[in-house]
Amino acid sequence: MTSLFLHGPLARLEGLSLVLGHPVAVGRARLAGFEAHAALPGHWPALAAAEAAQTEGLELRDPSEADLARIDWLAACFGQARLPLPDGREALLPLHPAAAPAVPQPPGHEEVVTEALRDLMADYQRLDLPLTVVRWDMMLRRAASRLRALGQEGAKIRRDARPGDVAVRDRRVVYANYFSVEEYDLRHSRFDGGESPEINRAAFISSDAATVLPYDPKRDRVLVVEQIRSGPLARGAENPWLLEPIAGRVDAFETPEDCARREAEEEAGLTLDRLIEAARYYPSPGAKAEFLYSYIALCDLPDDLPRLGGLASEAEDIRAHLLPFDALMARITTPEFASGPLILSALWLAGQRDRLRAAG
């Protein structure tokens, strides 16, 4: 009889049920002489021998062949395998020693990891192994985005969507890397009371992102950043460099506001204080799952600010520009400023500029 000790996300009943594909009743268990560590926030913890240590988990007794196949597939995704323990049980152990030191896991990370497991197991036996660190990071960000969206879907004018209004027969990941593309075969309720035929739709999957336009109300100027962009390049633009607000993807374990502050430091060397939310929105809802939080930051923008920025680890090459507000508005409709978040932020700022300047 197989007795399997489960740790990390599999030590939560919800996570284990997602992996197995059915509800499960198991007992709590302990593993002496081992400790579990993860090298990055939200990443799969690896068991390692450690004298006097003890790890809490669950014990799955006599699992079916189908259950073991799903657990083995998941373990392989994270470079682990089901191997024997000294006490006669089995556990998921790393195939190679950890290359990086362990880091503390952020509060509440279990909920985000479990939500990411929902996506991963939906692709059981469909994704090529191994699952890369970059891919799992994006799945964590997407999971956090989905959790952030819960309870924010009010309907005063549009349809008040109810369970059953959209029926997805199949979901397929047709491309997966840092970003991914998903296809859906679905039916949906129609405005005339009927039901649509089965239709196929695709979406580009990323995660929530934050943008911030720094504004100095005393000097009446803004800071915008310039960098090469793959979107204009793929469209065939002769010049793929754009002027934009500071922007970045919201990490799985940070808030959009924290993301805006982090990106301002990385891209422009700015430490932000007050953030004002201008809008939250889907920039291209017919094709992308991306959701943006756009902010205006009130701050000092002196002449001697650093002009070059970006993270070398992400191959970023970013240049900052200080622009008088009037110069920004005079050119906001030109190809140099063809960035939706910049146009939206500039127009919002135009409507609030007098008030912000008067408030000091």
Side-chain angles (χ1 to χ4, degrees), residues 272-338:
L272 302 182
D273 183 14
R274 184 185 174 193
L275 289 175
I276 304 172
E277 184 177 294
R280 51 180 71 184
Y281 55 100
Y282 294 96
S284 184
K288 299 185 66 178
E290 183 177 61
F291 189 81
L292 297 187
Y293 296 80
S294 287
Y295 300 96
I296 304 295
L298 302 185
C299 56
D300 291 328
L301 297 176
D303 292 335
D304 60 352
L305 281 176
R307 297 304 174 95
L308 299 180
L311 293 181
S313 61
E314 297 181 6
E316 291 180 329
D317 179 40
I318 296 173
R319 179 167 62 172
H321 299 265
L322 293 174
L323 297 176
F325 177 80
D326 289 339
L328 170 70
M329 298 309 295
R331 300 192 62 79
I332 200 64
T333 59
T334 67
E336 284 189 305
F337 291 78

Short mmCIF file of all heavy atoms in Angstrom, two decimals, residues 272-338:
data_model
loop_
_atom_site.label_atom_id
_atom_site.label_comp_id
_atom_site.label_asym_id
_atom_site.label_seq_id
_atom_site.Cartn_x
_atom_site.Cartn_y
_atom_site.Cartn_z
N LEU A 272 8.30 57.70 -4.91
CA LEU A 272 6.98 58.33 -4.94
C LEU A 272 6.35 58.36 -3.57
O LEU A 272 6.53 57.46 -2.76
CB LEU A 272 6.06 57.59 -5.91
CG LEU A 272 6.53 57.48 -7.36
CD1 LEU A 272 5.48 56.76 -8.19
CD2 LEU A 272 6.84 58.84 -7.95
N ASP A 273 5.57 59.41 -3.35
CA ASP A 273 4.82 59.52 -2.10
C ASP A 273 3.34 59.38 -2.40
O ASP A 273 2.79 58.27 -2.37
CB ASP A 273 5.13 60.87 -1.43
CG ASP A 273 4.43 61.00 -0.08
OD1 ASP A 273 3.95 59.97 0.43
OD2 ASP A 273 4.37 62.13 0.44
N ARG A 274 2.68 60.45 -2.78
CA ARG A 274 1.23 60.42 -2.98
C ARG A 274 0.87 59.92 -4.37
O ARG A 274 1.36 60.43 -5.37
CB ARG A 274 0.66 61.82 -2.76
CG ARG A 274 -0.86 61.86 -2.86
CD ARG A 274 -1.39 63.27 -2.76
NE ARG A 274 -2.83 63.32 -2.99
CZ ARG A 274 -3.51 64.44 -3.21
NH1 ARG A 274 -2.87 65.60 -3.20
NH2 ARG A 274 -4.81 64.40 -3.43
N LEU A 275 0.02 58.92 -4.42
CA LEU A 275 -0.51 58.41 -5.68
C LEU A 275 -2.00 58.72 -5.75
O LEU A 275 -2.73 58.54 -4.77
CB LEU A 275 -0.32 56.89 -5.78
CG LEU A 275 1.10 56.36 -5.97
CD1 LEU A 275 1.09 54.84 -5.93
CD2 LEU A 275 1.68 56.84 -7.28
N ILE A 276 -2.44 59.17 -6.91
CA ILE A 276 -3.86 59.44 -7.15
C ILE A 276 -4.32 58.51 -8.27
O ILE A 276 -3.74 58.52 -9.36
CB ILE A 276 -4.11 60.90 -7.55
CG1 ILE A 276 -3.55 61.86 -6.50
CG2 ILE A 276 -5.60 61.16 -7.77
CD1 ILE A 276 -3.58 63.31 -6.93
N GLU A 277 -5.34 57.71 -8.00
CA GLU A 277 -5.81 56.79 -9.03
C GLU A 277 -6.62 57.55 -10.07
O GLU A 277 -7.60 58.23 -9.76
CB GLU A 277 -6.67 55.69 -8.41
CG GLU A 277 -7.10 54.64 -9.42
CD GLU A 277 -7.90 53.51 -8.80
OE1 GLU A 277 -7.32 52.76 -7.99
OE2 GLU A 277 -9.11 53.40 -9.12
N ALA A 278 -6.19 57.42 -11.35
CA ALA A 278 -6.91 58.07 -12.44
C ALA A 278 -7.96 57.14 -13.03
O ALA A 278 -9.07 57.59 -13.37
CB ALA A 278 -5.92 58.49 -13.54
N ALA A 279 -7.66 55.86 -13.16
CA ALA A 279 -8.61 54.91 -13.75
C ALA A 279 -8.09 53.49 -13.57
O ALA A 279 -6.91 53.26 -13.34
CB ALA A 279 -8.81 55.20 -15.24
N ARG A 280 -9.02 52.54 -13.67
CA ARG A 280 -8.69 51.12 -13.77
C ARG A 280 -9.52 50.55 -14.89
O ARG A 280 -10.73 50.81 -14.96
CB ARG A 280 -8.91 50.40 -12.43
CG ARG A 280 -10.26 50.62 -11.79
CD ARG A 280 -10.42 49.87 -10.48
NE ARG A 280 -9.62 50.42 -9.40
CZ ARG A 280 -9.53 49.88 -8.18
NH1 ARG A 280 -10.22 48.77 -7.90
NH2 ARG A 280 -8.80 50.44 -7.25
N TYR A 281 -8.90 49.76 -15.79
CA TYR A 281 -9.58 49.46 -17.05
C TYR A 281 -8.89 48.35 -17.83
O TYR A 281 -7.73 48.02 -17.59
CB TYR A 281 -9.62 50.72 -17.93
CG TYR A 281 -8.25 51.34 -18.17
CD1 TYR A 281 -7.55 51.10 -19.34
CD2 TYR A 281 -7.65 52.14 -17.20
CE1 TYR A 281 -6.31 51.66 -19.56
CE2 TYR A 281 -6.40 52.71 -17.40
CZ TYR A 281 -5.72 52.45 -18.58
OH TYR A 281 -4.46 52.99 -18.78
N TYR A 282 -9.66 47.76 -18.78
CA TYR A 282 -9.12 46.83 -19.77
C TYR A 282 -8.69 47.65 -20.99
O TYR A 282 -9.53 48.30 -21.62
CB TYR A 282 -10.17 45.82 -20.20
CG TYR A 282 -10.61 44.87 -19.13
CD1 TYR A 282 -11.76 45.11 -18.37
CD2 TYR A 282 -9.89 43.70 -18.85
CE1 TYR A 282 -12.18 44.23 -17.38
CE2 TYR A 282 -10.30 42.82 -17.87
CZ TYR A 282 -11.44 43.09 -17.13
OH TYR A 282 -11.85 42.23 -16.15
N PRO A 283 -7.42 47.65 -21.38
CA PRO A 283 -7.01 48.46 -22.54
C PRO A 283 -7.48 47.90 -23.87
O PRO A 283 -7.65 48.66 -24.83
CB PRO A 283 -5.48 48.45 -22.45
CG PRO A 283 -5.16 47.22 -21.70
CD PRO A 283 -6.27 47.01 -20.73
N SER A 284 -7.68 46.58 -23.96
CA SER A 284 -8.12 45.98 -25.22
C SER A 284 -8.93 44.74 -24.91
O SER A 284 -8.47 43.60 -25.10
CB SER A 284 -6.91 45.63 -26.10
OG SER A 284 -7.32 45.14 -27.36
N PRO A 285 -10.18 44.90 -24.42
CA PRO A 285 -10.93 43.76 -23.89
C PRO A 285 -11.34 42.73 -24.93
O PRO A 285 -11.69 41.60 -24.56
CB PRO A 285 -12.17 44.43 -23.27
CG PRO A 285 -12.30 45.73 -23.97
CD PRO A 285 -10.90 46.17 -24.28
N GLY A 286 -11.30 43.07 -26.21
CA GLY A 286 -11.67 42.09 -27.22
C GLY A 286 -10.59 41.06 -27.48
O GLY A 286 -10.85 40.04 -28.13
N ALA A 287 -9.36 41.31 -26.98
CA ALA A 287 -8.27 40.41 -27.30
C ALA A 287 -7.36 40.09 -26.12
O ALA A 287 -6.64 39.10 -26.17
CB ALA A 287 -7.42 41.01 -28.42
N LYS A 288 -7.38 40.92 -25.06
CA LYS A 288 -6.40 40.75 -23.99
C LYS A 288 -7.08 40.65 -22.63
O LYS A 288 -8.09 41.32 -22.38
CB LYS A 288 -5.42 41.93 -23.97
CG LYS A 288 -4.61 42.09 -25.24
CD LYS A 288 -3.59 43.19 -25.11
CE LYS A 288 -2.52 42.84 -24.09
NZ LYS A 288 -1.48 43.89 -23.99
N ALA A 289 -6.49 39.84 -21.74
CA ALA A 289 -6.98 39.73 -20.37
C ALA A 289 -6.34 40.78 -19.47
O ALA A 289 -6.68 40.87 -18.28
CB ALA A 289 -6.69 38.34 -19.82
N GLU A 290 -5.45 41.58 -20.00
CA GLU A 290 -4.74 42.58 -19.20
C GLU A 290 -5.70 43.61 -18.59
O GLU A 290 -6.65 44.05 -19.23
CB GLU A 290 -3.71 43.31 -20.07
CG GLU A 290 -2.86 44.31 -19.32
CD GLU A 290 -1.82 44.94 -20.23
OE1 GLU A 290 -2.21 45.58 -21.22
OE2 GLU A 290 -0.62 44.77 -19.95
N PHE A 291 -5.41 44.00 -17.34
CA PHE A 291 -6.20 45.01 -16.63
C PHE A 291 -5.21 46.00 -16.04
O PHE A 291 -4.22 45.61 -15.42
CB PHE A 291 -7.02 44.35 -15.52
CG PHE A 291 -8.01 45.26 -14.87
CD1 PHE A 291 -9.25 45.50 -15.47
CD2 PHE A 291 -7.74 45.88 -13.65
CE1 PHE A 291 -10.18 46.33 -14.86
CE2 PHE A 291 -8.65 46.71 -13.05
CZ PHE A 291 -9.88 46.95 -13.65
N LEU A 292 -5.47 47.30 -16.26
CA LEU A 292 -4.52 48.34 -15.85
C LEU A 292 -5.06 49.19 -14.71
O LEU A 292 -6.25 49.50 -14.65
CB LEU A 292 -4.19 49.26 -17.03
CG LEU A 292 -3.49 48.66 -18.24
CD1 LEU A 292 -3.09 49.75 -19.22
CD2 LEU A 292 -2.27 47.85 -17.83
N TYR A 293 -4.14 49.57 -13.84
CA TYR A 293 -4.38 50.59 -12.81
C TYR A 293 -3.49 51.77 -13.16
O TYR A 293 -2.26 51.63 -13.16
CB TYR A 293 -4.01 50.06 -11.43
CG TYR A 293 -4.84 48.89 -10.94
CD1 TYR A 293 -4.58 47.60 -11.39
CD2 TYR A 293 -5.87 49.07 -10.03
CE1 TYR A 293 -5.34 46.52 -10.93
CE2 TYR A 293 -6.63 48.00 -9.58
CZ TYR A 293 -6.36 46.73 -10.03
OH TYR A 293 -7.11 45.67 -9.59
N SER A 294 -4.09 52.92 -13.47
CA SER A 294 -3.31 54.08 -13.88
C SER A 294 -3.35 55.14 -12.78
O SER A 294 -4.43 55.50 -12.28
CB SER A 294 -3.83 54.66 -15.19
OG SER A 294 -3.48 53.82 -16.28
N TYR A 295 -2.17 55.65 -12.44
CA TYR A 295 -2.03 56.62 -11.36
C TYR A 295 -1.33 57.89 -11.85
O TYR A 295 -0.55 57.87 -12.81
CB TYR A 295 -1.19 56.04 -10.21
CG TYR A 295 -1.77 54.81 -9.58
CD1 TYR A 295 -1.35 53.54 -9.99
CD2 TYR A 295 -2.72 54.90 -8.58
CE1 TYR A 295 -1.87 52.39 -9.41
CE2 TYR A 295 -3.25 53.75 -7.99
CZ TYR A 295 -2.82 52.51 -8.41
OH TYR A 295 -3.35 51.37 -7.84
N ILE A 296 -1.62 58.99 -11.14
CA ILE A 296 -0.83 60.21 -11.22
C ILE A 296 -0.08 60.32 -9.90
O ILE A 296 -0.67 60.12 -8.83
CB ILE A 296 -1.73 61.46 -11.41
CG1 ILE A 296 -2.61 61.30 -12.65
CG2 ILE A 296 -0.87 62.72 -11.50
CD1 ILE A 296 -1.86 61.23 -13.96
N ALA A 297 1.21 60.62 -9.97
CA ALA A 297 2.01 60.78 -8.76
C ALA A 297 2.43 62.24 -8.62
O ALA A 297 3.02 62.80 -9.55
CB ALA A 297 3.25 59.89 -8.81
N LEU A 298 2.12 62.85 -7.49
CA LEU A 298 2.56 64.21 -7.22
C LEU A 298 3.94 64.15 -6.59
O LEU A 298 4.12 63.53 -5.53
CB LEU A 298 1.57 64.91 -6.28
CG LEU A 298 0.12 64.99 -6.78
CD1 LEU A 298 -0.72 65.81 -5.81
CD2 LEU A 298 0.07 65.58 -8.17
N CYS A 299 4.91 64.77 -7.23
CA CYS A 299 6.29 64.68 -6.74
C CYS A 299 7.13 65.82 -7.30
O CYS A 299 6.70 66.55 -8.19
CB CYS A 299 6.90 63.33 -7.12
SG CYS A 299 6.85 62.98 -8.89
N ASP A 300 8.34 65.97 -6.76
CA ASP A 300 9.30 66.93 -7.28
C ASP A 300 10.00 66.33 -8.48
O ASP A 300 10.45 65.18 -8.45
CB ASP A 300 10.34 67.27 -6.21
CG ASP A 300 9.75 68.09 -5.07
OD1 ASP A 300 8.82 68.88 -5.33
OD2 ASP A 300 10.22 67.93 -3.93
N LEU A 301 10.11 67.14 -9.54
CA LEU A 301 10.81 66.71 -10.76
C LEU A 301 11.86 67.75 -11.11
O LEU A 301 11.69 68.55 -12.04
CB LEU A 301 9.82 66.53 -11.91
CG LEU A 301 8.75 65.44 -11.73
CD1 LEU A 301 7.78 65.44 -12.90
CD2 LEU A 301 9.40 64.05 -11.58
N PRO A 302 12.98 67.77 -10.37
CA PRO A 302 14.03 68.76 -10.66
C PRO A 302 14.80 68.43 -11.93
O PRO A 302 14.70 67.33 -12.47
CB PRO A 302 14.94 68.66 -9.43
CG PRO A 302 14.75 67.26 -8.94
CD PRO A 302 13.32 66.91 -9.23
N ASP A 303 15.60 69.39 -12.39
CA ASP A 303 16.34 69.22 -13.64
C ASP A 303 17.39 68.11 -13.56
O ASP A 303 17.74 67.51 -14.59
CB ASP A 303 17.06 70.52 -14.02
CG ASP A 303 16.09 71.62 -14.42
OD1 ASP A 303 14.96 71.28 -14.86
OD2 ASP A 303 16.44 72.80 -14.29
N ASP A 304 17.91 67.82 -12.34
CA ASP A 304 19.03 66.89 -12.24
C ASP A 304 18.61 65.45 -11.99
O ASP A 304 19.39 64.63 -11.50
CB ASP A 304 19.98 67.34 -11.12
CG ASP A 304 19.29 67.40 -9.76
OD1 ASP A 304 18.06 67.24 -9.71
OD2 ASP A 304 20.00 67.63 -8.75
N LEU A 305 17.38 65.08 -12.33
CA LEU A 305 16.95 63.70 -12.20
C LEU A 305 17.76 62.79 -13.12
O LEU A 305 18.16 63.19 -14.22
CB LEU A 305 15.47 63.55 -12.55
CG LEU A 305 14.45 63.95 -11.49
CD1 LEU A 305 13.04 63.84 -12.07
CD2 LEU A 305 14.57 63.06 -10.25
N PRO A 306 17.99 61.54 -12.71
CA PRO A 306 18.64 60.58 -13.63
C PRO A 306 17.81 60.43 -14.91
O PRO A 306 16.59 60.39 -14.86
CB PRO A 306 18.66 59.28 -12.82
CG PRO A 306 18.49 59.69 -11.40
CD PRO A 306 17.67 60.93 -11.41
N ARG A 307 18.48 60.33 -16.03
CA ARG A 307 17.76 60.21 -17.29
C ARG A 307 17.78 58.81 -17.88
O ARG A 307 17.01 58.52 -18.80
CB ARG A 307 18.32 61.22 -18.32
CG ARG A 307 18.15 62.67 -17.89
CD ARG A 307 16.69 63.01 -17.61
NE ARG A 307 16.51 64.35 -17.08
CZ ARG A 307 16.23 65.41 -17.82
NH1 ARG A 307 16.11 65.28 -19.12
NH2 ARG A 307 16.09 66.59 -17.25
N LEU A 308 18.65 57.93 -17.38
CA LEU A 308 18.70 56.57 -17.88
C LEU A 308 18.35 55.61 -16.75
O LEU A 308 18.77 55.80 -15.60
CB LEU A 308 20.09 56.23 -18.44
CG LEU A 308 20.56 57.08 -19.62
CD1 LEU A 308 21.95 56.63 -20.05
CD2 LEU A 308 19.59 56.99 -20.78
N GLY A 309 17.57 54.58 -17.07
CA GLY A 309 17.15 53.64 -16.04
C GLY A 309 16.78 52.30 -16.63
O GLY A 309 17.01 52.01 -17.81
N GLY A 310 16.13 51.46 -15.78
CA GLY A 310 15.75 50.12 -16.18
C GLY A 310 16.63 49.07 -15.53
O GLY A 310 17.74 49.35 -15.08
N LEU A 311 16.10 47.84 -15.47
CA LEU A 311 16.82 46.73 -14.86
C LEU A 311 17.62 45.97 -15.91
O LEU A 311 17.06 45.51 -16.91
CB LEU A 311 15.84 45.78 -14.18
CG LEU A 311 15.08 46.32 -12.96
CD1 LEU A 311 14.17 45.23 -12.40
CD2 LEU A 311 16.04 46.80 -11.89
N ALA A 312 18.91 45.81 -15.65
CA ALA A 312 19.73 45.03 -16.57
C ALA A 312 19.27 43.58 -16.63
O ALA A 312 19.34 42.94 -17.68
CB ALA A 312 21.20 45.10 -16.14
N SER A 313 18.76 43.06 -15.50
CA SER A 313 18.30 41.67 -15.45
C SER A 313 17.10 41.43 -16.36
O SER A 313 16.81 40.29 -16.73
CB SER A 313 17.94 41.28 -14.02
OG SER A 313 16.89 42.10 -13.52
N GLU A 314 16.38 42.50 -16.72
CA GLU A 314 15.23 42.38 -17.62
C GLU A 314 15.52 43.00 -18.99
O GLU A 314 14.60 43.24 -19.77
CB GLU A 314 14.01 43.04 -16.99
CG GLU A 314 13.57 42.36 -15.69
CD GLU A 314 12.34 43.00 -15.07
OE1 GLU A 314 11.75 43.89 -15.71
OE2 GLU A 314 11.98 42.60 -13.94
N ALA A 315 16.80 43.27 -19.26
CA ALA A 315 17.24 43.85 -20.54
C ALA A 315 16.51 45.15 -20.84
O ALA A 315 16.23 45.45 -22.00
CB ALA A 315 17.06 42.84 -21.68
N GLU A 316 16.22 45.94 -19.80
CA GLU A 316 15.53 47.21 -19.99
C GLU A 316 16.53 48.32 -20.34
O GLU A 316 17.61 48.41 -19.74
CB GLU A 316 14.75 47.59 -18.73
CG GLU A 316 13.56 46.70 -18.45
CD GLU A 316 12.80 47.11 -17.21
OE1 GLU A 316 13.44 47.63 -16.26
OE2 GLU A 316 11.57 46.91 -17.17
N ASP A 317 16.16 49.12 -21.27
CA ASP A 317 16.96 50.29 -21.68
C ASP A 317 15.99 51.46 -21.75
O ASP A 317 15.27 51.61 -22.74
CB ASP A 317 17.63 50.02 -23.03
CG ASP A 317 18.45 51.22 -23.50
OD1 ASP A 317 19.13 51.86 -22.67
OD2 ASP A 317 18.37 51.56 -24.70
N ILE A 318 15.96 52.29 -20.72
CA ILE A 318 14.90 53.29 -20.56
C ILE A 318 15.52 54.68 -20.40
O ILE A 318 16.51 54.87 -19.67
CB ILE A 318 14.04 52.95 -19.32
CG1 ILE A 318 13.33 51.61 -19.55
CG2 ILE A 318 13.02 54.06 -19.04
CD1 ILE A 318 12.57 51.10 -18.34
N ARG A 319 14.93 55.63 -21.10
CA ARG A 319 15.35 57.03 -20.99
C ARG A 319 14.17 57.87 -20.50
O ARG A 319 13.05 57.71 -21.00
CB ARG A 319 15.85 57.55 -22.34
CG ARG A 319 16.27 59.01 -22.31
CD ARG A 319 17.03 59.40 -23.54
NE ARG A 319 16.25 59.27 -24.77
CZ ARG A 319 16.67 59.69 -25.96
NH1 ARG A 319 17.87 60.24 -26.09
NH2 ARG A 319 15.91 59.54 -27.02
N ALA A 320 14.41 58.75 -19.53
CA ALA A 320 13.38 59.62 -18.98
C ALA A 320 13.42 60.99 -19.65
O ALA A 320 14.49 61.49 -20.00
CB ALA A 320 13.55 59.76 -17.48
N HIS A 321 12.24 61.59 -19.81
CA HIS A 321 12.11 62.94 -20.37
C HIS A 321 11.25 63.78 -19.43
O HIS A 321 10.18 63.33 -18.98
CB HIS A 321 11.42 62.91 -21.74
CG HIS A 321 12.17 62.12 -22.79
ND1 HIS A 321 13.04 62.71 -23.69
CD2 HIS A 321 12.17 60.79 -23.07
CE1 HIS A 321 13.53 61.78 -24.49
NE2 HIS A 321 13.02 60.61 -24.14
N LEU A 322 11.70 65.00 -19.15
CA LEU A 322 10.90 65.97 -18.41
C LEU A 322 10.25 66.91 -19.41
O LEU A 322 10.93 67.54 -20.23
CB LEU A 322 11.77 66.77 -17.44
CG LEU A 322 12.36 65.98 -16.27
CD1 LEU A 322 13.32 66.85 -15.47
CD2 LEU A 322 11.26 65.44 -15.38
N LEU A 323 8.92 67.01 -19.36
CA LEU A 323 8.17 67.80 -20.32
C LEU A 323 7.27 68.79 -19.61
O LEU A 323 6.53 68.39 -18.68
CB LEU A 323 7.31 66.91 -21.22
CG LEU A 323 8.01 65.90 -22.11
CD1 LEU A 323 6.97 65.06 -22.83
CD2 LEU A 323 8.91 66.61 -23.12
N PRO A 324 7.27 70.06 -20.02
CA PRO A 324 6.25 70.98 -19.51
C PRO A 324 4.87 70.44 -19.86
O PRO A 324 4.68 69.80 -20.91
CB PRO A 324 6.54 72.29 -20.26
CG PRO A 324 7.97 72.18 -20.68
CD PRO A 324 8.21 70.73 -20.95
N PHE A 325 3.90 70.65 -18.98
CA PHE A 325 2.57 70.10 -19.21
C PHE A 325 2.01 70.54 -20.56
O PHE A 325 1.43 69.74 -21.29
CB PHE A 325 1.62 70.53 -18.09
CG PHE A 325 0.21 70.06 -18.30
CD1 PHE A 325 -0.16 68.76 -17.99
CD2 PHE A 325 -0.75 70.91 -18.86
CE1 PHE A 325 -1.45 68.32 -18.20
CE2 PHE A 325 -2.04 70.47 -19.08
CZ PHE A 325 -2.40 69.17 -18.75
N ASP A 326 2.19 71.80 -20.91
CA ASP A 326 1.66 72.30 -22.19
C ASP A 326 2.31 71.59 -23.38
O ASP A 326 1.64 71.33 -24.39
CB ASP A 326 1.87 73.81 -22.30
CG ASP A 326 0.96 74.59 -21.37
OD1 ASP A 326 -0.07 74.04 -20.95
OD2 ASP A 326 1.28 75.76 -21.06
N ALA A 327 3.60 71.27 -23.25
CA ALA A 327 4.27 70.55 -24.33
C ALA A 327 3.72 69.13 -24.45
O ALA A 327 3.56 68.61 -25.56
CB ALA A 327 5.77 70.51 -24.07
N LEU A 328 3.41 68.50 -23.32
CA LEU A 328 2.79 67.18 -23.35
C LEU A 328 1.47 67.22 -24.10
O LEU A 328 1.23 66.40 -25.00
CB LEU A 328 2.56 66.69 -21.91
CG LEU A 328 1.70 65.43 -21.75
CD1 LEU A 328 2.45 64.20 -22.26
CD2 LEU A 328 1.27 65.24 -20.30
N MET A 329 0.60 68.18 -23.73
CA MET A 329 -0.72 68.24 -24.35
C MET A 329 -0.65 68.64 -25.82
O MET A 329 -1.50 68.22 -26.61
CB MET A 329 -1.61 69.19 -23.57
CG MET A 329 -1.87 68.76 -22.13
SD MET A 329 -2.44 67.05 -21.96
CE MET A 329 -4.05 67.16 -22.79
N ALA A 330 0.35 69.42 -26.19
CA ALA A 330 0.47 69.84 -27.59
C ALA A 330 0.83 68.68 -28.50
O ALA A 330 0.53 68.70 -29.70
CB ALA A 330 1.53 70.94 -27.71
N ARG A 331 1.46 67.63 -27.94
CA ARG A 331 1.93 66.52 -28.77
C ARG A 331 1.24 65.21 -28.45
O ARG A 331 1.63 64.16 -28.96
CB ARG A 331 3.45 66.36 -28.62
CG ARG A 331 4.24 67.60 -29.04
CD ARG A 331 5.72 67.31 -29.15
NE ARG A 331 6.01 66.31 -30.17
CZ ARG A 331 6.06 66.53 -31.48
NH1 ARG A 331 5.80 67.75 -31.95
NH2 ARG A 331 6.34 65.57 -32.32
N ILE A 332 0.21 65.24 -27.62
CA ILE A 332 -0.39 64.01 -27.15
C ILE A 332 -1.05 63.19 -28.26
O ILE A 332 -1.25 61.98 -28.12
CB ILE A 332 -1.41 64.30 -26.02
CG1 ILE A 332 -1.69 63.05 -25.18
CG2 ILE A 332 -2.71 64.85 -26.58
CD1 ILE A 332 -0.51 62.55 -24.43
N THR A 333 -1.38 63.81 -29.38
CA THR A 333 -2.01 63.08 -30.49
C THR A 333 -1.02 62.68 -31.58
O THR A 333 -1.43 62.19 -32.63
CB THR A 333 -3.13 63.92 -31.12
OG1 THR A 333 -2.58 65.16 -31.61
CG2 THR A 333 -4.23 64.23 -30.11
N THR A 334 0.28 62.84 -31.34
CA THR A 334 1.28 62.50 -32.34
C THR A 334 1.73 61.05 -32.17
O THR A 334 1.55 60.45 -31.10
CB THR A 334 2.50 63.43 -32.24
OG1 THR A 334 3.18 63.17 -31.00
CG2 THR A 334 2.06 64.89 -32.31
N PRO A 335 2.36 60.45 -33.20
CA PRO A 335 2.80 59.05 -33.10
C PRO A 335 3.78 58.80 -31.97
O PRO A 335 3.84 57.68 -31.45
CB PRO A 335 3.45 58.80 -34.46
CG PRO A 335 2.75 59.74 -35.39
CD PRO A 335 2.50 60.97 -34.58
N GLU A 336 4.54 59.80 -31.56
CA GLU A 336 5.49 59.61 -30.47
C GLU A 336 4.79 59.25 -29.16
O GLU A 336 5.36 58.59 -28.30
CB GLU A 336 6.32 60.86 -30.25
CG GLU A 336 7.40 61.09 -31.28
CD GLU A 336 8.30 62.25 -30.87
OE1 GLU A 336 7.79 63.35 -30.63
OE2 GLU A 336 9.53 62.03 -30.78
N PHE A 337 3.55 59.71 -29.00
CA PHE A 337 2.80 59.53 -27.76
C PHE A 337 1.64 58.55 -27.94
O PHE A 337 0.64 58.63 -27.25
CB PHE A 337 2.26 60.87 -27.27
CG PHE A 337 3.32 61.83 -26.79
CD1 PHE A 337 4.09 62.54 -27.69
CD2 PHE A 337 3.55 62.00 -25.43
CE1 PHE A 337 5.06 63.42 -27.25
CE2 PHE A 337 4.53 62.88 -24.99
CZ PHE A 337 5.29 63.59 -25.90
N ALA A 338 1.79 57.61 -28.87
CA ALA A 338 0.69 56.70 -29.19
C ALA A 338 0.59 55.57 -28.17
O ALA A 338 0.59 54.38 -28.50
CB ALA A 338 0.88 56.14 -30.60
#
